[in-house]
Amino acid sequence: MFDRILYPTDFSDVSMKAVNYVKQLKKAGTKEVVVLHVIDERTLVVPDVFSGVDFMALENELRRIADEQCNKIVEQFQEVGLSAKFMVKKGIPFLDILKTAQEEDVSLIVIGSHGKSNLEEMLLGSVSEKVIRKAVRPVLVVKR
Ligand code: ATP
Ligand code: MN
């Protein structure tokens, strides 16, 4: 039923917790996982006060770290016999998650309820809230 899964991650604790749920879904017939990390382009805008900061170098470094972390996650999925690949995109996280779900034609999105901010009083993070609201496919929300 859930042949192909999109697993968007910000590498936060909650999102890493979701890795195990994705692995378990192999028993339910899952074959393939697409791991996605979105580098938020809004964090790469250049305010005047930071005109000395090399944003290109910053972006390259963020990509390098993301590639490394995504690779480790892909290996974890492959170890249990799932086929897996990763993508690192630059954009607006919720938009790129929805767009990738469509492009890759996944049958399920597995997302953490919270991410890096993980504010106690929030029922959901803003990325997961928008994905749940706008996705036209099933979403599995792994709680913190
Ligand atoms: P907020 O970002 O609103 O301050 P938060 O960081 O606690 O809150 P979200 O950012 O909504 O929560 O994260 C929820 C889930 O969304 C994460 O567990 C992860 O699965 C996914 N996610 C968040 N940011 C990204 C990202 N940049 N790329 C891919 N997936 C992401
Ligand atoms: Mn976040």
Side-chain angles (χ1 to χ4, degrees), residues 1-133:
M1 184 172 34
F2 297 130
D3 265 37
R4 206 167 149 74
I5 292 177
L6 177 66
Y7 165 68
T9 180
D10 61 355
F11 313 116
S12 61
D13 290 347
V14 186
S15 139
M16 294 312 286
K17 191 177 163 193
V19 168
N20 271 319
Y21 287 86
V22 175
K23 286 185 187 169
Q24 299 295 323
L25 280 163
K26 185 167 190 293
K27 294 188 206 129
T30 295
K31 294 187 177 57
E32 221 179 326
V33 188
V34 180
V35 177
L36 170 69
H37 177 69
V38 184
I39 296 172
D40 196 327
E41 64 181 22
R42 293 163 297 187
T43 63
L44 295 170
V45 181
V46 192
D48 279 354
V49 275
F50 294 131
S51 55
V53 177
D54 185 348
F55 280 85
M56 201 60 195
L58 175 63
E59 185 183 332
N60 289 338
E61 182 62 5
L62 288 174
R63 269 187 192 276
R64 194 187 60 76
I65 295 167
D67 282 359
E68 225 169 71
Q69 289 181 289
C70 283
N71 250 321
K72 283 190 198 144
I73 297 169
V74 162
E75 279 170 13
Q76 284 201 55
F77 291 140
Q78 288 170 342
E79 271 164 23
V80 298
L82 289 163
S83 137
K85 65 173 176 181
F86 77 84
M87 293 173 178
V88 175
K89 296 186 173 178
K90 187 174 96 174
I92 309 282
F94 87 92
L95 280 177
D96 281 285
I97 292 168
L98 293 166
K99 201 168 147 220
T100 309
Q102 206 158 24
E103 282 168 3
E104 294 290 320
D105 194 26
V106 298
S107 38
L108 177 70
I109 302 170
V110 178
I111 199 167
S113 60
H114 301 79
K116 280 266 160 82
S117 308
N118 200 6
L119 295 179
E120 179 141 29
E121 66 274 18
M122 297 295 285
L123 174 66
L124 283 170
S126 61
V127 177
S128 45
E129 188 189 329
K130 289 195 198 85
V131 170
I132 296 163
R133 205 184 285 279

